[in-house]
Amino acid sequence: MTYFDQVTEAAAFLRERIRGNLGDQVPRIGIVLGSGLGAAADAIADPAIIPYAEIPHFPQSTVEGHSGRIVAGLLGGAPCVIMQGRVHFYEGYSPSQVTFPLRVLGALGLRAVVLTNAAGGIQDGYRIGQLVAVADHINLMGFNPLNGPNEPRFAFQPNAGLRFFDMTEAYSKRLRSLAKAAAEAEGFSLEEGVYLAVPGPSFETPAEIRAFRSLGATLVGMSTVPETIVARHMGLEVLGISCVTNLAAGLSAKLLSHQEVFEAGRQVEHRLARLLERLIPQIAAVLEPKP
Ligand code: HPA
């Protein structure tokens, strides 16, 4: 069975389960919730809950703090599909396995994805627990998930599925504006940052962080970038939101630990959940109806 057929099979399975819950309301937005950031899924009343283990071909998360299930239903009144937990390259998954879930979201007919993550803050002035909208990224993961023959059938949206495609606006400006306005309404401001992706799992050295800062990065993390690349390949709009869970290596006296990252996530996940509950219906309103 080809990779594309596996994606199609997983999507068909999910579509059925989601239809059982949402009926004719077709979700147009997907959300991926990162480390310790799962609370937004709890804001869905009467959700359809589908553990990754039940979905054909779906990779299983092995990291503590990533619960590994899909939660579908209405968030702020808008139908959406939430991935509570993701898989990472550092877990030993291949680039195509890491991005399999995004391919499935694309096959479901989603138009936009909100990719959230825990990140180390590089820019001076970032505070722990701060949310930052990703305006651009730098891929230092050492791979591109589109390496290999192009699969044009991944053109789930118009003008997509191309071998070479533009990444000038990888992160949608209009979705970022909506996110900023929604944050203001929630009483906080959402700055913009540049997310630099590393493979992990070790945290960075202080010298690496100094190097990344001079490259223009303001955030560092171990996810999101492969997902953004495949989402753009399929023609989906992307909104990236990072939660600064720690100051990056060498920028504070504290040593880094997963525990710290996870706990900082837990402290901000409710603010992120409120932001998403306000934002998702506004995003749904600007996405075009299916042709
Ligand atoms: N570095 C890399 N990934 C991370 C960090 C960090 O400091 N914090 C959360 N994810």
Side-chain angles (χ1 to χ4, degrees), residues 51-96:
Y52 295 163
E54 291 179 17
I55 309 170
H57 318 295
F58 226 72
Q60 307 299 309
S61 177
T62 63
V63 200
E64 190 198 336
H66 289 257
S67 77
R69 57 190 201 162
I70 287 203
V71 179
L74 299 178
L75 185 63
C80 69
V81 180
I82 298 185
M83 279 182 54
Q84 215 176 18
R86 58 155 63 86
V87 299
H88 303 79
F89 183 62
Y90 62 71
E91 293 175 73
Y93 290 109
S94 68
S96 52

Side-chain angles (χ1 to χ4, degrees), residues 118-121 198 202-204 209 220-222 243 245-249 256 261:
V198 290
S202 51
F203 289 116
E204 301 68 40
I209 294 301
V220 59
M222 304 173 189
C243 164
T245 52
N246 57 279
L247 301 187
L256 304 191
V261 167

Side-chain angles (χ1 to χ4, degrees), residues 11-233:
F13 173 87
L14 271 179
R15 194 176 288 117
E16 219 30 60
R17 294 283 294 262
I18 293 170
R19 209 202 316 271
N21 181 266
L22 278 172
D24 290 341
Q25 301 197 74
V26 181
R28 292 287 172 232
I29 305 169
I31 305 174
V32 180
L33 297 175
S35 292
L37 299 174
D42 303 333
I44 293 192
D46 273 333
I49 295 178
I50 308 127
Y52 295 163
E54 291 179 17
I55 309 170
H57 318 295
F58 226 72
Q60 307 299 309
S61 177
T62 63
V63 200
E64 190 198 336
H66 289 257
S67 77
R69 57 190 201 162
I70 287 203
V71 179
L74 299 178
L75 185 63
C80 69
V81 180
I82 298 185
M83 279 182 54
Q84 215 176 18
R86 58 155 63 86
V87 299
H88 303 79
F89 183 62
Y90 62 71
E91 293 175 73
Y93 290 109
S94 68
S96 52
Q97 286 174 309
V98 166
T99 51
F100 184 86
L102 262 286
R103 292 302 197 185
V104 173
L105 295 184
L108 280 176
L110 302 192
R111 303 294 170 76
V113 285
V114 181
L115 305 176
T116 72
N117 58 59
I122 297 178
Q123 180 164 290
D124 290 332
Y126 278 172
R127 286 163 286 105
I128 290 170
Q130 181 171 353
L131 298 175
V132 180
V134 178
D136 208 341
H137 76 218
I138 298 173
N139 182 9
L140 287 189
M141 279 201 158
F143 66 86
N144 186 304
L146 301 178
N147 182 273
N150 186 45
E151 175 50 90
R153 286 178 293 174
F154 281 126
F156 295 122
Q157 299 301 324
N159 309 316
L162 304 174
R163 169 79 302 183
F164 302 105
F165 60 94
D166 188 80
M167 286 285 277
T168 309
E169 198 187 317
Y171 298 87
S172 163
K173 262 190 202 149
R174 64 174 188 163
L175 298 192
R176 219 152 68 227
S177 311
L178 288 176
K180 282 187 186 174
E184 295 292 341
E186 287 291 333
F188 65 95
S189 70
L190 195 63
E191 278 185 50
E192 294 195 349
V194 175
Y195 180 94
L196 184 145
V198 290
S202 51
F203 289 116
E204 301 68 40
T205 63
E208 286 169 336
I209 294 301
R210 287 193 297 274
F212 295 167
R213 184 201 292 258
S214 76
L215 291 176
T218 71
L219 301 154
V220 59
M222 304 173 189
S223 69
T224 304
V225 161
E227 296 164 11
T228 298
I229 293 171
V230 300
R232 297 302 298 143
H233 180 248

